[in-house]
Amino acid sequence: MSTRPSEVPQPEPEAGRGDCGDSAGSAGSADSSGSGEDRGGRPDGDGPAAGSTGSAGSAGEPGGDSGDGEPPAGDWRLFRGNGTSRPVRFPKAPKWRRFTPVDHDARPDPKAGTKSRSNLPYLIEPRHADVVNAALHLRRPLLVTGPAGTGKSSLARAIAYELQLGELLRWPVNSRSTVRDALYQYDAIGRLRETTLRRDRGEEEPSIGTFIRLGPLGTALVPAKRPRALLVDEMDKGDVDLPNDLLTVFEEGVFDIPELTRLPEEFEYVPVETADRGDPVRVRRGVVQCHEFPVVVITSNGERDFPPAFLRRCVRLNLPVPGEERLRAIVAAHLGESALRDADDLIETFLRRRAPGELATDQLLNAVFLRVGGVDLDADGLLDAVLHQLTGSM
């Protein structure tokens, strides 16, 4: 991978980021406090919104159906399994399971966080927040480890939201993930097809940039006035060589696009699309060079060790499973203080079951949400289905 230095044209301030290879305004160091996976430490201040202890659809959602076929008062069962079709009003979903439809016509707000559930407060211990701040000051990737449900992925969303780093860029790693795909994708077949069609019509050939889109890692390295936030989720799921393949990019903050570097001199700038559906960015001579290293959060469930050269470039943070006091704080933050009145036995059961087998914090939130919403968790096997172990045989 080429690491030749890039030239320094003028930035385009209205888009919030400059041409690739440009110098941008510096971003000051920032503090972060925020905390714990996926919903485990991601509280929100609103009370629960669930089905009522009356009819199954009395959650207050407008537009719901009512009338014949609704469950009788006190029946929380929407599905009865009796083959009878009837209109049912769905209760309001938990805060952590509500989604905002993507507006494909709107450009991202550089000061806004990830729209889907990003603004839910996040609980974190001060000592863990200090590690986050160390990574921010050092401009080093933050490697976050810990059991499932401790808030590893949610931490990246909390940082992006609190520091106004724009929409969180996410790279979900799997066994087929490559650094090249995370940097950019080039649709050579699409370009060939479109070029052939336009030639047949006597039209001008399309720009090669139309068929190049920066991936999440490549978009994070686009020079901007402020750094972007990137979540590299479950790095241990990737190929064994993936961490080593990232060393140069993490150390130099630069990569090149060979399809653009080979272009003639007259194609100095080529606009390409980005992973966040933002305005196209102009890549100069095929080189993308960051000005401020992005805020990179890498999560791992500890399924595999990483090479020393990779670990040396990261600041490490291990998030432990929350104790009883923190669990109560998480429940109160997500579902309101009143929810704690119905949660004592569920917290006790959760802690007891977590000892022999692994459980995630959001499983406790699910149980309390159902209890507060009028669901009978004493029903045969229901609590076992919600608080099922995440390891071992089913």
Side-chain angles (χ1 to χ4, degrees), residues 328-359:
R328 295 180 66 85
I330 291 172
V331 170
H334 274 278
L335 301 172
E337 292 286 345
S338 60
L340 291 174
R341 294 194 297 266
D342 300 313
D344 286 340
D345 62 319
L346 293 177
I347 294 176
E348 180 181 347
T349 301
F350 177 84
L351 291 171
R352 185 174 66 250
R353 295 189 179 195
R354 192 176 66 180
E358 189 177 359
L359 293 175

Side-chain angles (χ1 to χ4, degrees), residues 42-48 95 119-121 332-337:
R42 190 181 52 195
D44 84 60
D46 293 347
K95 268 285 192 179
N119 59 342
L120 302 179
H334 274 278
L335 301 172
E337 292 286 345

Side-chain angles (χ1 to χ4, degrees), residues 8-321:
V8 184
Q10 293 299 315
E12 297 179 354
E14 68 277 5
R17 47 187 170 185
D19 296 329
C20 297
D22 289 5
S23 171
S26 64
S29 62
D31 261 351
S32 166
S33 66
S35 123
E37 195 166 345
D38 306 311
R39 302 182 291 275
R42 190 181 52 195
D44 84 60
D46 293 347
S52 76
T53 55
S55 70
S58 58
E61 278 290 83
D65 294 323
S66 62
D68 293 341
E70 276 204 7
D75 190 350
W76 51 270
R77 293 174 174 88
L78 305 179
F79 173 71
R80 299 178 184 176
N82 57 11
T84 301
S85 177
R86 71 194 195 285
V88 172
R89 186 190 309 171
F90 273 76
K92 207 169 185 179
K95 268 285 192 179
W96 55 90
R97 293 299 300 166
R98 299 178 197 172
F99 303 91
T100 302
V102 175
D103 184 355
H104 294 281
D105 296 325
R107 293 299 184 183
D109 181 354
K111 292 186 177 181
T114 303
K115 293 182 179 180
S116 177
R117 300 168 290 166
S118 63
N119 59 342
L120 302 179
Y122 183 84
L123 298 182
I124 188 171
E125 295 183 21
R127 60 191 178 101
H128 297 148
D130 288 344
V131 177
V132 174
N133 283 298
L136 294 173
H137 282 278
L138 293 172
R139 304 300 200 274
R140 289 289 188 181
L142 179 68
L143 176 59
V144 187
T145 58
T150 52
K152 301 186 294 295
S153 300
S154 299
L155 177 58
R157 289 190 285 268
I159 294 172
Y161 179 77
E162 184 172 326
L163 302 186
Q164 294 187 353
L165 300 181
E167 181 180 0
L168 177 67
L169 299 165
R170 179 165 179 163
W171 177 19
V173 175
N174 57 49
S175 60
R176 299 177 300 279
S177 297
T178 65
V179 173
R180 201 270 199 175
D181 287 341
L183 292 173
Y184 76 98
Q185 299 93 38
Y186 171 51
D187 184 5
I189 295 177
R191 183 190 180 198
L192 176 62
R193 181 174 59 248
E194 184 66 19
T195 300
T196 301
L197 289 174
R198 293 202 181 188
R199 283 176 179 173
D200 292 343
R201 298 169 184 164
E203 300 174 354
E204 183 181 359
E205 294 184 11
S207 168
I208 185 175
T210 307
F211 306 96
I212 294 177
R213 179 180 293 274
L214 300 182
L217 177 56
T219 302
L221 293 173
V222 170
K225 294 181 178 180
R226 291 173 59 80
R228 293 297 300 270
L230 170 68
L231 170 63
V232 184
D233 209 11
E234 298 189 333
M235 170 75 83
D236 49 335
K237 295 284 196 301
D239 184 81
V240 66
D241 292 326
L242 185 61
N244 285 325
D245 294 341
L246 283 167
L247 295 182
T248 300
V249 176
F250 280 170
E251 195 64 30
E252 305 295 336
V254 62
F255 71 97
D256 63 359
I257 303 175
E259 291 82 0
L260 300 184
T261 60
R262 295 192 294 261
L263 294 177
E265 288 289 328
E266 58 265 29
F267 295 98
E268 180 178 8
Y269 290 99
V270 177
V272 300
E273 298 294 326
T274 59
D276 61 356
R277 307 177 309 280
D279 294 320
V281 296
R282 298 195 302 165
V283 177
R284 188 178 190 188
R285 304 294 187 202
V287 177
V288 179
Q289 168 76 66
C290 73
H291 176 72
E292 288 283 345
F293 189 78
V295 176
V296 180
V297 177
I298 304 170
T299 70
S300 170
N301 291 320
E303 296 183 5
R304 180 162 45 82
D305 293 331
F306 297 124
F310 176 79
L311 295 176
R312 180 175 66 83
R313 289 166 170 81
C314 299
V315 176
R316 302 186 65 175
L317 170 63
N318 182 69
L319 293 178
V321 294

